[in-house]
Each structure stands twice: as C-alpha cells, then as structure tokens.
Amino acid sequence: MDDVVIIGGSFAGLAAALQLGRARRKVTVLDTGLPRNRFAGHSHGLLGHDHKPPLDILAEARQQLARYPTIKLVSARAESVSGAIDNFSVLTGDGESLKARRVILSYGIADQMPDVPGFAESWGTSIVPCPYCDGFEVAGQHWGLVWSGPQSHNQVRLFHDWTERLTVFADGHDIPADIRADLARRNIPVIDGRITEIAGHGGHNSTVKLDSSPDVAVDILFAHPRNKPSASLHELLGLATVDTPSGIALKADERRETSMPGIYAAGDLANPGMPSVTTASWQGAMAGIFAQQSMLV
Ligand SMILES: Cc1cc2nc3c(=O)[nH]c(=O)nc-3n(C[C@H](O)[C@H](O)[C@H](O)COP(=O)(O)OP(=O)(O)OC[C@H]3O[C@@H](n4cnc5c(N)ncnc54)[C@H](O)[C@@H]3O)c2cc1C
C-alpha cells in the first residue's frame, strides 16, 4: 500500500511528492501530461525558473524527484477513487488498482475554448489570461480585454500598471452604465458586438473580427474563458466545491484537506483565488506536508 497516491503530476502534484519523498513516505504520482500552461512558450513568475518553457520546468522537477526511492511517477490516468481514510483505492486507465492511506487531487482545470475561429489556436500566444504571466513582455502596448462579467472591471484597473492603451470587447455582455462611465473616464474604448474570429499574426499580435464593428488590431488579447476540472473524480467522491468567476474549485481547509477526510487538494483545481505555478507549487507542498503529518503515530 502507498502512503499517498497523487492524481495529477504537474506543479502542484510534483511539489506534494517532493515533500512526501523527503519524508521517506511511499508515493505514487499518476499523470496524463497535460498541464494547463502547455500552450505557453514561456512560464513567468516562478522564482528561479522565470522565462523558461513550462514543460522544461516540469521535466527538470521530474528529474530531481528521481533521487527519492519512495516516489514512483506513472504515466496513467486515474479513473476512479473509492474507499475511506487509511484505505483508498485508485483505479487507473491501465486497469491497475492502487491502495493508499491518503489521496491528493491535483489534476488541474481545463480552459473551455469558445466556438470562435482562431481562439483556440491563439490561446497561450496572442490570447492569454494573466498579466502577471505575460504582461511584462508587452507593457505599454495596445492590449485588448474580452469582457467576461463584473470581474472584468477589476482587470481594467489591474492592467493600468502595465499599459494605458486598452480596448474592451463587450462580446455580447451587457456592461452596466456606471462601469461604462468609468471606462470612458479612463479613456478606454468599448467595442460592442460579438467576436466572430481571431486572426493571429504570429507572436502576440492579432486582429479581432466582430459581427457589428470594424476589425480591431491588438498587440495582445486577455480573455478568461470558462473552465472546468480536468477530471470528475471529485464528483464521484461527492466533494464540496465553491464557485469561482469562471467555474468551480474544490473546497479545501487551511491544511489542504477537502470535505472528505484523507483526501487533499492542491493547485488550480482547488484555488478560487489566483491560480499560478507559484501558488500551485505552494499548495502542493502544503498538501504533501499535511497529508504526511496526518499519518504520524
Ligand atoms: C495560457 C496560460 C499561460 C499561463 N502562464 C503562466 C505563467 O507564465 N506563470 C504562472 O505562474 N502561471 C501561468 N499559468 C497558470 C498555470 O498554468 C497554472 O496555474 C498551473 O499549471 C497549475 O498547476 P496544477 O499543478 O494545479 O495543474 P496543471 O499544471 O494543469 O496540471 C494538472 C495535471 O494533472 C493531469 N491530469 C488531469 N487529469 C488527470 C487524471 N484523471 N489522472 C492523472 N493525471 C491527470 C494533467 O495531465 C496535468 O499534467 C498559465 C495558464 C495558461 C492557461
């Protein structure tokens, strides 16, 4: 039996494995190799790894984990989790059944691409979600923001630290009059109508095509499509969730334990605040440490 099975072996899952391996606990990490930022050329903001391709950071992490004899990294999908604390069973897509005393869920979230030609192709290059991740490289240039709800107003205020040239695309949203007045006061144009196509030009630049306005060229476009957990194991387990502006997140306490004793959660899957590689790594490390401490005799 493993002490812990970790489902999702990216930033959160590998950070959990590192702490558990250093505590000489027996761990199996299951991973399908599809981290959320795999579309990005570079990852920014992780101390010591800034401006590196995300897959290179993960490959280096996996290499470092190889020195811990109790950590096993397995390329497989977890299909189900059952049982209770001290006696969980995890079934993999290869038909293997793993037993574990604790389970850490770190399988991340998947961004749902809207049905707009060019959007999915541009995701991670000319359409990005986060200014901390990609803003510095295009500071002072012409940014676009696809409105996704009241939370977009906070983005407008945030973006001002990077650029004074912002265009808002309402994309069918009814932006309230008081917010429109604030945008006007900030000299931020609002383009009404729906986005019909994103024409990428390589690099960050693209042209936004609309159903009822002329095309608008931007140097980078920020958007926050809906997302959903990358697997549904939390549903099988009946875990509590909280709503986020673009989806749901698993509810976890300050020890990263979910609503079910013995099941921990870390990373974007359980981060209703500000998901990032840094927060995923921190939450993963905490989940690993608290899972280990919950097994002390
Ligand atoms: C375009 C883009 C650019 C970004 N750029 C940055 C950046 O520059 N800096 C930054 O800090 N953050 C950035 N982010 C955010 C960052 O990608 C996430 O915060 C981070 O990847 C979260 O890590 P995680 O370990 O929680 O999940 P993920 O990295 O998404 O990993 C989840 C892992 O679980 C695996 N998995 C899923 N289901 C199963 C299953 N059933 N069984 C086994 N394995 C499974 C997946 O294959 C994946 O490997 C960016 C996000 C996007 C979309």
Side-chain angles (χ1 to χ4, degrees):
M1 178 182 279
D2 278 314
D3 289 311
V4 183
V5 166
I6 298 173
I7 302 176
S10 177
F11 302 99
L14 295 180
L18 177 58
Q19 300 300 332
L20 286 158
R22 290 190 59 77
R24 307 190 308 152
R25 290 287 180 169
K26 197 165 170 255
V27 188
T28 297
V29 183
L30 301 173
D31 186 52
T32 48
L34 298 171
R36 186 180 175 203
N37 56 355
R38 64 190 180 280
F39 307 99
H42 297 92
S43 171
H44 296 110
L46 179 65
L47 189 66
H49 294 283
D50 192 44
H51 199 65
K52 276 192 194 171
L55 298 184
D56 287 6
I57 301 174
L58 288 169
E60 196 180 330
R62 281 193 296 272
Q63 220 168 34
Q64 290 175 354
L65 292 183
R67 70 189 280 262
Y68 297 99
T70 58
I71 301 177
K72 195 172 158 195
L73 304 182
V74 179
S75 289
R77 181 173 184 79
E79 298 290 354
S80 72
V81 182
S82 56
I85 189 163
D86 284 328
N87 190 22
F88 289 109
S89 297
V90 179
L91 191 66
T92 75
D94 302 336
E96 201 181 343
S97 178
L98 305 171
K99 298 277 181 199
R101 297 182 61 195
R102 305 287 184 271
V103 173
I104 296 176
L105 304 179
S106 47
Y107 47 79
I109 57 178
D111 297 292
Q112 306 298 295
M113 296 295 103
D115 192 15
V116 171
F119 194 105
E121 295 83 348
S122 307
W123 185 241
T125 49
S126 54
I127 308 180
V128 295
C130 152
Y132 295 97
C133 304
D134 292 291
F136 182 84
E137 285 69 24
V138 285
Q141 298 185 38
H142 181 198
W143 292 18
L145 171 66
V146 182
W147 203 261
S148 54
Q151 67 279 6
S152 297
H153 196 199
N154 296 332
Q155 299 287 317
V156 166
R157 295 179 55 228
L158 184 65
F159 287 4
H160 190 254
D161 265 10
W162 283 270
T163 190
E164 289 180 3
R165 295 165 61 205
L166 177 64
T167 296
V168 161
F169 296 93
D171 198 26
H173 286 269
D174 193 9
I175 302 176
D178 59 329
I179 294 181
R180 280 184 185 265
D182 180 61
L183 296 175
R185 187 180 60 79
R186 295 171 186 271
N187 291 320
I188 295 171
V190 178
I191 310 292
D192 286 310
R194 282 198 173 274
I195 296 174
T196 55
E197 188 183 340
I198 306 292
H201 306 304
H204 291 309
N205 313 56
S206 62
T207 299
V208 181
K209 295 178 179 283
L210 299 128
D211 62 358
S212 53
S213 311
D215 298 353
V216 180
V218 291
D219 294 320
I220 194 156
L221 190 60
F222 285 80
H224 305 93
R226 303 281 305 162
N227 60 58
K228 61 177 194 186
S230 295
S232 51
L233 305 178
H234 57 283
E235 288 174 13
L236 286 176
L237 292 163
L239 301 184
T241 60
V242 292
D243 290 333
T244 71
S246 44
I248 59 160
L250 300 199
K251 202 168 177 180
D253 66 16
E254 66 283 358
R255 297 170 72 86
R256 305 305 317 161
E257 198 166 22
T258 66
S259 55
M260 183 168 187
I263 304 267
Y264 294 75
D268 285 10
L269 175 65
N271 187 348
M274 231 199 75
S276 73
V277 166
T278 302
T279 50
S281 306
W282 159 66
Q283 288 187 352
M286 291 298 103
I289 286 169
F290 288 126
Q292 178 245 341
Q293 291 187 0
S294 75
M295 293 183 282
L296 299 177
V297 290

